[in-house]
Amino acid sequence: MFPILKETLSRQVKAMDLMEELLEEEFSLLMARDTDAIMTLEFSIHELLRQLASEKESIIRFLGGGKLHDYAQMLPNDKKMTILQLWHEIDKKEQTCSKQASKNTQLSLGLLDQSKELLNYLHERIVPPQRTAYSRKGVYTQSRPQASMINGRF
């Protein structure tokens, strides 16, 4: 039972290392605004997250719904230290990845806001300004920027 858990935890440590690298690469791509590369990288990140979740679920099933920490307490001291060390390493890497993902989210939302503001500015510049003018009757004409019914006589 111990070798299987050790291998599974070791795979999770390596997966978290890869996740950290992918998130840092995503940050650099966000800084470069390379949207095509970001989309490709996002699929890789989501697949890695799916695999990590699968690994965690397999440990839970393997322990019969028990906790890894409780199982480690029942092991001899050297094996217990190995399992707990891997467990703490995974936890540290998860915290690091969480912080990097938060930075990536803030940057992407900032870029979204900036793009939206630029688009609104350009739209305001393209739309002709409302002009008030007199009609034949001597009153201000009513401009209808949206679709409206036209009433008139021939």
Side-chain angles (χ1 to χ4, degrees), residues 66-109:
K67 303 238 181 214
L68 181 66
H69 195 269
D70 295 337
Y71 170 75
Q73 298 302 325
M74 296 185 289
L75 293 173
N77 202 22
D78 59 335
K79 291 182 179 181
K80 175 171 93 171
M81 294 308 289
T82 302
I83 294 292
L84 290 177
Q85 183 182 12
L86 288 170
W87 186 61
H88 287 297
E89 192 173 346
I90 291 169
D91 187 49
K92 268 196 265 183
K93 290 181 185 297
E94 283 179 351
Q95 295 298 323
T96 304
C97 288
S98 175
K99 288 176 186 175
Q100 185 63 45
S102 178
K103 287 180 188 177
N104 292 0
T105 301
Q106 289 176 349
L107 180 58
S108 65
L109 290 176

Side-chain angles (χ1 to χ4, degrees), residues 1 4 20 25 36 47 51 59 64 76 78 85-86 106-107 112 123 128 130 132-133 149:
M1 193 165 173
I4 295 171
E20 187 175 353
E25 184 180 348
D36 293 334
E47 179 61 25
Q51 290 174 3
I59 288 178
D78 59 335
Q85 183 182 12
L86 288 170
Q106 289 176 349
L107 180 58
L112 174 70
H123 186 266
Q130 294 245 345
T132 53
M149 296 292 291

